[in-house]
Amino acid sequence: MNIFNLINIKMKIKFDDILKAKKRISPHIIETPLEYSLGLSKEIETDVYLKLENLQVSGSFKPRGGFNKILKTKESNPESEFIAPTAGGHGVGLSYAANKLNSKVHILMPKNADKDRVKDIKNNNASNQLLESVTAARLEAKKLEKEKGYVFVSAYNDTEMIEGAGTIALELMNQIPDMDCLVCGVGGGGYLAGMGIVLKTINPNIKIYGVQQENAPFLANWFNTKKYPKNLIMKPSIAEGIGAEVEENSITWDYINEFVEDFLIVSENEIKDTLLWTIKNHKHYVEPSAIVGLAGIRKNPDVFKKYNKVVTIITGRNMSFDKFLNIIK
């Protein structure tokens, strides 16, 4: 894969779009550090690095896309109001960006959403509505989009969100230009798509692996069968921020199908174990969704020891302490 191949597949987002996104959002975010994992590197006999997006403003990588979406939209329509369905993380990031930019945003969430995420969204001065499920939130958000003229913001199926997420890879290529493998926990595939555009443009030989939980392997199933999973049974997961059902027309699919080397699957116990491992070995309090990629590396050392420098993204920390205690008990 190189930059010239990108025009041969159904991809509208280009490397230059992500460079523009970086310039657009840079005043509002921080460049997160890269941390070497000494213990894991010794364990699997190759160098492993953690990109610490849990230290990003608002506690996750999500504001990268949120700032990009709002700023880019308001270039042509300064009075835009935004609406988003979310399990929580997307809502925190988008509401944070909206608050900083004095924009109005409406966040729709399931009733069982993490209480700290609900609190953060309200503290960001966003309107907040709780519904029965993420699916119900998405349907209501689409309805209000039509009725009120709000700008709908998907966490992943959105050009500007993908562009914003891709800025992580621009930082990575400055921090570790000789990396040869990226491992991502995958939900809708937005940040994987954005990072893939950057990494594969700069170095087509970089390998990208997606990781999902066995309770909700939607994109993994789609990738392996090359058929949209219409009747896949999805179970609850402690990593509720990723692994949800993805729309058949999601723009992320073409990027994932083109860029990903393989998908790996991890269990709920392996996610829980890696959550505790991260706290013990790196002293980072993070959410389960944040370390699914790391769990994939720990489970599959033989897959990754053939690479020289493996990177995974620790995507966020927005989990209430009560939920953490409930997970580990």
Side-chain angles (χ1 to χ4, degrees), residues 60-74:
S60 83
F61 77 96
K62 297 290 187 177
R64 292 178 183 265
F67 276 113
N68 191 51
K69 180 68 178 183
I70 295 171
L71 288 166
K72 192 173 177 182
T73 301
K74 294 183 78 170

Side-chain angles (χ1 to χ4, degrees), residues 21 30 75 102 110 154 178 255 265 274 278 310 317 326:
I30 65 169
E75 288 172 4
N102 295 313
S154 169
D178 55 346
Y255 300 91
I265 302 297
T274 298
T278 304
V310 179
R317 65 173 188 261
N326 188 56

Side-chain angles (χ1 to χ4, degrees), residues 265-316:
I265 302 297
V266 293
S267 69
E268 295 296 296
N269 283 336
E270 287 160 346
I271 296 170
K272 174 181 174 181
D273 181 69
T274 298
L275 182 69
L276 295 171
W277 182 94
T278 304
I279 294 172
K280 179 180 178 181
N281 289 274
H282 287 271
K283 309 303 186 288
H284 290 299
Y285 175 84
V286 296
E287 59 193 274
S289 301
I291 45 78
V292 170
L294 181 59
I297 297 173
R298 294 184 67 225
K299 182 180 181 179
N300 300 277
D302 290 340
V303 172
F304 297 105
K305 65 173 54 178
K306 61 187 176 186
Y307 299 106
N308 295 314
K309 294 188 176 180
V310 179
V311 176
T312 189
I313 316 299
I314 307 300
T315 56

Side-chain angles (χ1 to χ4, degrees), residues 4-291:
F4 301 106
N5 295 132
L6 291 177
I7 62 175
N8 296 323
I9 50 182
K10 299 175 183 178
M11 299 185 187
K12 297 180 180 180
I13 305 169
K14 301 296 188 290
F15 181 77
D16 188 57
D17 295 321
I18 297 175
L19 290 175
K20 292 176 182 177
K22 179 174 171 50
K23 183 177 181 180
R24 192 178 290 121
I25 70 175
S26 287
H28 307 286
I29 65 164
I30 65 169
E31 179 173 319
T32 53
L34 192 68
E35 183 168 294
Y36 183 68
S37 182
L38 179 61
L40 186 55
S41 296
K42 287 184 175 180
E43 185 179 329
I44 72 170
E45 301 174 354
T46 198
D47 289 332
V48 180
Y49 297 82
L50 314 180
K51 175 70 166 162
L52 301 179
E53 284 294 296
N54 54 303
L55 302 182
Q56 186 55 263
V57 295
S58 91
S60 83
F61 77 96
K62 297 290 187 177
R64 292 178 183 265
F67 276 113
N68 191 51
K69 180 68 178 183
I70 295 171
L71 288 166
K72 192 173 177 182
T73 301
K74 294 183 78 170
E75 288 172 4
S76 57
N77 189 355
E79 302 304 316
S80 295
E81 292 187 34
F82 302 84
I83 190 165
T86 173
H90 174 45
V92 173
L94 185 64
S95 63
Y96 176 90
N99 194 38
K100 293 295 183 181
L101 298 173
N102 295 313
S103 295
K104 292 183 179 179
V105 64
H106 309 274
I107 304 297
L108 280 59
M109 308 169 68
K111 290 181 178 179
N112 64 350
D114 189 299
K115 65 179 183 180
D116 278 11
R117 291 177 176 177
V118 175
K119 181 178 70 174
D120 288 342
I121 288 166
K122 290 181 177 178
N123 286 343
N124 287 331
N125 297 313
S127 73
N128 180 239
Q129 183 178 352
L130 300 179
L131 295 101
E132 288 300 322
S133 64
V134 173
T135 299
R138 183 185 296 118
L139 292 173
E140 182 66 13
K142 282 292 186 180
K143 176 184 174 185
L144 292 172
E145 175 191 24
K146 293 179 180 179
E147 292 178 354
K148 303 289 187 179
Y150 298 150
V151 177
F152 183 91
V153 188
S154 169
Y156 57 89
N157 192 15
D158 185 285
T159 296
E160 287 75 31
M161 295 299 292
I162 292 172
E163 291 170 351
T167 62
I168 303 171
L170 293 175
E171 292 178 13
L172 270 180
M173 293 310 290
N174 284 325
Q175 293 169 322
I176 183 167
D178 55 346
M179 66 174 286
D180 56 354
C181 180
L182 173 72
V183 188
C184 292
V186 184
Y191 94 98
L192 187 154
M195 295 188 70
I197 293 167
V198 172
L199 298 179
K200 290 291 190 176
T201 297
I202 295 174
N203 180 2
N205 295 318
I206 291 175
K207 302 302 182 184
I208 299 174
Y209 289 82
V211 185
Q212 288 198 303
Q213 61 273 58
E214 64 182 14
N215 280 13
F218 195 88
L219 274 175
N221 184 280
W222 193 354
F223 180 86
N224 289 325
T225 64
K226 305 304 179 189
K227 294 180 180 179
Y228 184 76
K230 293 184 176 180
N231 299 304
L232 185 66
I233 296 174
M234 304 280 278
K235 300 177 182 178
S237 171
I238 60 172
E240 81 283 354
I242 66 172
E245 292 185 19
V246 178
E247 303 95 318
E248 191 168 2
N249 65 349
S250 176
I251 59 176
T252 58
W253 166 246
D254 288 312
Y255 300 91
I256 290 166
N257 189 44
E258 183 69 23
F259 294 152
V260 172
E261 186 77 7
D262 198 5
F263 266 89
L264 305 171
I265 302 297
V266 293
S267 69
E268 295 296 296
N269 283 336
E270 287 160 346
I271 296 170
K272 174 181 174 181
D273 181 69
T274 298
L275 182 69
L276 295 171
W277 182 94
T278 304
I279 294 172
K280 179 180 178 181
N281 289 274
H282 287 271
K283 309 303 186 288
H284 290 299
Y285 175 84
V286 296
E287 59 193 274
S289 301
I291 45 78

